């Protein structure tokens, strides 16, 4: 079976293939929607290319709340069809498409008022469960349950007793967003797509008004590329405005503004709880989400007008989250408890006045000029629907009959046989010599692709050792990130293939050197290049920590910009 290995060699081959032959579909942007669109098009039998200017999921798709959910807030808006659609996707991901990456998580909704709030919130969550059960993939998660204050405090001992009169427990799901997006790209490659990260689009090829391809630049070598395609899908998310500007003489289909959301990560032992929690704030909701040995707490929702490449959390952002969560905690969290912080941008869109785009509250697909499709907006959970909608519009411009989308039936790499592999985790532990908890960790990250990781350990037993500075991981995982998962730089490994950068108190600095030395051989780095990667990563950490001491977005962004990029881009995308 083709396991979609994204290696340095396969990247070179992919770029060569894209420049030599006209593609049916070229997707620009390898966030979750772009990677999903590449998989959708490839599984329809089309020739497909996928380009990403930075790393897979390096933008919004690695900086979410890491939830797969229907969206309780949309019930208050009476948007039942949107919630039902998202709940169907949640069920698909848990049961068929990615059970190794998406798993159930329970949440506690503390109640502060007797009678009316229990009735109002309870009715909404009951409807949430009913909408899930009404679909084909709704079963499998526990139904909601009403709890007394005593029962709620048993489930979440870290709550202040006076902050609630009771609670409702309900279920949703969570995902490692960056790994899921990377698996989408790998699965697309397994079905024949040509995939290359660190390749920025610098312009569109035109014949008259029609887009017939792109010009691009290999950010690793500086090589200029020309890639022809019968149709191009622009899935650049928050950079949609900038990519539309490359269409000289054309008005963009969508107007995009950015909203910043930040999250903090604290050690699990700092908050006593056996479930997640959702809290009401004055303007939105706040999630406290279990994340292995940590909690993720977020998010914010504020207008953002600074640079989009590296959005930074300010001190104001961090203090806001701490203040809000501390309203409910018996033992308040402090700045010293925060081990990780990340910030992401949501693309907020509206159609131009004369646009004929298909708009919904969640996503939009437009066709501003022949040969170009633009998809924007949406939420992580419904990425597959967005991808399908974009490819549906794209194939209308092809002069051949194209099958309907089949991604509802296409598990991601690592999904097939996952439950059997989980049941055999004790056997895998004995065979590999690793502790069963290590095997469980690997299964949740790789699914049945665990055999490839364990193959590295079998060939070199030293790779089964814990990674110094980040002992939740083994050395084989960082080697595999470079040899199979398309990681090109140290920061790709520490921030997206693993989550060491937000899971360790030093933001991954202690693990940086040994990680760089392990992947240097795979990527062919010289000693000087290895030292440069370490220095750039350390610069990034210092800049981010300093940004988190700044009072506002402008000063935080300016501080974050003091760190250099591992592969600077020539254009603005």
């Amino acid at each position: 079976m083709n396991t979609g290995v994204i290696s340095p060699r396969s990247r070179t081959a992919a770029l060569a293939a894209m420049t030599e032959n006209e593609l049916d579909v070229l997707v620009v942007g390898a966030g979750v929607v772009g990677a999903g669109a590449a998989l959708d098009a490839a599984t329809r039998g089309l020739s497909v290319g996928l380009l990403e200017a930075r790393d897979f999921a390096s933008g919004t798709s690695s900086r979410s709340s890491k939830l797969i959910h229907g969206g309780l807030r949309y019930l208050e808006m009476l948007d039942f069809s949107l919630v039902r659609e998202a709940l169907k996707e949640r069920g698909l991901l848990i049961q068929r498409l990615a059970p190794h990456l998406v798993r159930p998580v329970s949440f506690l909704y503390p109640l502060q008022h007797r009678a009316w709030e229990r009735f109002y919130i309870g009715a909404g969550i009951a409807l949430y469960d009913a909408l899930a059960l009404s679909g084909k993939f709704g079963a499998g998660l526990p139904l909601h349950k009403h709890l007394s204050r005593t029962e709620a405090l048993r489930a979440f001992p870290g709550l202040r007793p006076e902050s609630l009169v009771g609670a409702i427990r309900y279920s949703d799901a969570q995902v490692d967003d960056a790994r899921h997006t990377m698996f989408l790209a790998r699965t697309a490659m397994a079905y024949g797509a040509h995939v290359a990260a660190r390749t920025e689009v610098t312009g569109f090829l035109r014949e008259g008004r029609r887009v017939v391809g792109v010009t691009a630049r290999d950010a690793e070598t500086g090589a200029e590329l020309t890639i022809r395609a019968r149709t191009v899908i622009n899935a650049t998310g928050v950079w949609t405005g900038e990519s539309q500007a490359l269409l000289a003489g054309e008005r963009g289909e969508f107007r995009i503004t950015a909203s910043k959301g930040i999250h903090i990560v604290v050690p699990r032992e700092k908050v006593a709880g056996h479930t997640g929690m959702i809290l009401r704030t004055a303007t939105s909701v706040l999630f406290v989400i279990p994340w292995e040995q940590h909690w993720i707490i977020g998010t914010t929702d504020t207008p953002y007008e600074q640079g989009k490449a590296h959005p930074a959390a300010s001190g104001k952002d961090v203090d806001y989250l701490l203040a809000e969560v501390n309203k409910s905690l018996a033992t308040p969290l402090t700045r010293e408890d925060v081990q990780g912080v990340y910030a992401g941008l949501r693309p907020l869109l509206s159609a131009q006045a004369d646009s004929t785009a298909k708009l919904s509250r969640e996503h939009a697909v437009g066709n501003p000029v022949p040969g170009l499709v633009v998809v924007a907006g949406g939420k992580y959970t419904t990425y597959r629907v967005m991808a399908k909608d974009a490819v549906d519009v794209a194939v209308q411009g092809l002069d051949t009959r194209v099958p309907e989308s089949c991604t509802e039936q296409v598990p991601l790499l690592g999904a097939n046989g996952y439950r059997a592999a989980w049941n055999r985790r004790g056997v895998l532990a004995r065979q590999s010599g690793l502790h069963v908890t290590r095997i469980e960790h690997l299964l949740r990250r790789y699914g049945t692709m665990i055999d490839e990781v364990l193959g590295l350990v079998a060939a070199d037993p030293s790779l089964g050792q814990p990674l110094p500075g980040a002992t939740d991981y083994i050395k084989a995982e960082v080697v595999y990130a470079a040899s199979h998962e398309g990681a090109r730089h140290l920061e790709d490994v520490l921030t997206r293939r693993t989550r060491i950068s937000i899971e360790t108190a030093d933001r991954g600095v202690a693990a940086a050197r040994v990680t760089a030395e392990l992947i240097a051989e795979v990527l062919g780095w010289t000693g000087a290049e290895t030292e440069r990667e370490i220095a750039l990563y350390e610069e990034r950490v210092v800049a981010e920590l300093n940004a988190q001491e700044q009072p506002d977005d402008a000063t935080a962004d300016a501080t974050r910009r003091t760190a250099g990029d591992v592969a600077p881009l020539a254009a603005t995308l």
Side-chain angles (χ1 to χ4, degrees):
M1 176 186 174
N2 181 350
T3 60
V5 174
I6 305 179
S7 64
R9 179 178 296 179
S10 73
R11 178 181 180 273
T12 300
L15 288 173
M18 284 189 269
T19 56
E20 290 169 4
N21 300 295
E22 183 184 47
L23 301 166
D24 292 323
V25 177
L26 175 65
V27 182
V28 180
V32 69
V33 176
L39 176 59
D40 188 288
T43 52
R44 297 191 197 205
L46 300 171
S47 60
V48 178
L50 174 63
L51 296 179
E52 165 57 46
R54 295 173 177 83
D55 184 28
F56 306 117
S58 57
T60 306
S61 294
S62 62
R63 303 164 190 242
S64 73
S65 295
K66 312 195 189 315
L67 293 177
I68 299 293
H69 61 137
L72 277 172
R73 65 191 178 97
Y74 293 116
L75 289 181
E76 290 189 297
M77 303 176 189
L78 305 181
D79 200 337
F80 303 128
S81 62
L82 181 61
V83 175
R84 184 183 291 112
E85 177 182 74
L87 289 172
K88 173 191 173 182
E89 295 302 312
R90 182 189 74 179
L92 265 173
L93 285 161
I94 293 173
Q95 296 179 40
R96 179 186 291 168
L97 302 185
H100 54 314
L101 303 171
V102 180
R103 60 189 62 90
V105 61
S106 62
F107 285 95
L108 206 66
Y109 193 117
L111 302 172
Q112 298 178 330
H113 306 279
R114 299 185 187 277
W116 74 265
E117 189 182 21
R118 187 179 288 278
F119 174 79
Y120 177 71
I121 300 300
I125 294 177
L127 178 58
Y128 194 67
D129 282 346
L131 289 172
L133 291 170
S134 68
K136 182 178 178 183
F137 298 95
L141 294 184
L143 297 178
H144 75 285
K145 182 180 180 181
H146 286 260
L147 304 179
S148 67
R149 177 160 60 183
T150 299
E151 290 171 323
L153 290 172
R154 191 177 299 128
F156 210 107
L159 280 171
R160 289 172 48 231
E162 63 272 23
S163 71
L164 74 163
V165 298
I168 300 173
R169 185 170 56 208
Y170 74 98
S171 297
D172 255 318
Q174 67 179 167
V175 65
D176 186 328
D177 47 9
R179 291 199 61 74
H180 174 255
T181 298
M182 179 273 299
F183 264 99
L184 281 169
R186 280 192 65 180
T187 307
M189 187 170 176
Y191 283 97
H194 306 295
V195 176
R198 302 290 177 184
T199 308
E200 60 172 326
V201 169
T202 55
F204 291 103
L205 300 175
R206 308 287 293 273
E207 291 183 359
R209 289 194 69 224
R210 185 175 187 85
V211 169
V212 294
V214 302
T215 56
R217 173 182 168 273
D218 184 339
E220 301 287 354
T221 66
E224 300 293 334
L225 310 170
T226 298
I227 301 172
R228 300 186 68 84
R230 298 166 70 192
T231 187
V232 176
I233 296 176
N234 176 356
T236 51
V238 75
W239 287 275
T240 300
E242 286 83 352
S243 57
Q244 287 182 142
L246 296 177
L247 280 172
E250 302 287 349
R251 186 179 184 184
E253 185 91 352
F254 304 121
R255 183 167 54 250
I256 302 293
T257 57
S259 170
K260 186 177 76 170
I262 83 136
H263 296 78
I264 60 176
V265 182
V266 301
R268 194 71 178 263
E269 65 268 17
K270 294 296 181 180
V271 179
H274 310 298
T275 179
M277 185 166 58
I278 179 172
L279 302 169
R280 285 277 191 179
T281 69
T283 57
S284 185
V285 296
L286 187 72
F287 287 101
V288 181
I289 306 163
W291 180 258
E292 297 292 339
Q293 304 305 313
H294 299 81
W295 297 98
I296 293 176
I297 301 171
T299 180
T300 58
D301 189 355
T302 55
Y304 188 76
E305 298 178 351
Q306 309 304 317
K308 296 176 181 177
H310 304 294
S314 67
K316 180 180 178 181
D317 294 326
V318 175
D319 290 341
Y320 167 80
L321 288 183
L322 289 172
E324 288 296 325
V325 75
N326 282 341
K327 292 176 182 178
S328 298
L329 297 180
T331 303
L333 295 170
T334 68
R335 279 286 195 107
E336 287 67 36
D337 296 322
V338 177
Q339 282 195 345
V341 180
Y342 63 93
L345 302 179
R346 305 179 192 91
L348 305 179
L349 62 91
S350 61
Q352 301 287 9
D354 59 353
S355 172
T356 59
K358 175 187 175 185
L359 282 175
S360 74
R361 181 175 283 115
E362 277 303 298
H363 73 272
V365 178
N367 190 193
V369 296
L372 177 66
V373 172
V374 181
V375 56
K379 57 186 290 185
Y380 197 101
T381 302
T382 53
Y383 78 90
R384 194 191 64 82
V385 177
M386 295 175 63
K388 171 186 175 297
D389 289 349
V391 178
D392 281 346
V393 174
V395 300
Q396 292 174 7
L398 304 182
D399 56 6
T400 55
R401 189 173 182 277
V402 178
E404 295 293 318
S405 174
C406 66
T407 51
E408 188 173 312
Q409 306 292 330
V410 180
L412 301 191
L413 290 174
N416 280 328
Y418 170 69
R419 288 184 174 84
W422 181 262
N423 292 341
R424 296 184 67 252
R425 61 193 184 278
V427 175
L428 292 172
R430 289 191 294 274
Q431 291 175 344
S432 64
L434 299 177
H435 193 279
V436 70
T437 57
R438 289 281 186 201
I439 297 297
E440 290 173 350
H441 162 88
L442 295 173
L443 283 168
R444 291 190 182 109
R445 287 171 47 76
Y446 303 93
T448 51
M449 295 293 101
I450 190 175
D451 291 341
E452 294 182 339
V453 181
L454 295 180
L456 295 177
V457 176
D460 180 357
S462 70
L463 296 180
Q465 298 172 356
L467 185 69
T471 55
D472 287 344
Y473 299 87
I474 61 174
K475 293 178 179 179
E477 293 181 78
V478 300
V479 174
Y480 187 82
S483 64
H484 288 67
E485 296 181 337
R488 301 283 305 172
H489 295 279
L490 179 60
E491 77 163 43
D492 300 346
V493 177
L494 296 179
T495 63
R496 286 173 291 275
R497 303 307 182 277
T498 70
R499 291 314 179 96
I500 293 170
S501 66
I502 60 171
E503 293 174 345
T504 56
D506 67 354
R507 282 20 178 211
V509 170
R513 177 164 297 279
V514 66
T515 299
E517 291 171 351
L518 284 167
I519 64 177
E521 184 175 348
V522 178
L523 298 173
W525 291 345
T526 64
E529 287 169 330
T530 302
E531 292 300 322
R532 175 179 178 272
E533 289 281 333
I534 296 168
L536 284 171
Y537 185 78
E538 291 175 345
E539 279 182 20
R540 168 193 163 140
V541 169
V542 170
E544 289 182 345
L545 288 171
N546 288 339
Q548 291 157 27
E549 299 297 326
Q550 303 307 310
D552 53 41
D553 284 348
T555 53
D557 179 64
T559 303
R560 174 61 181 86
R561 285 172 180 261
T562 60
D565 281 329
V566 292
L569 303 183
T572 57
L573 294 192

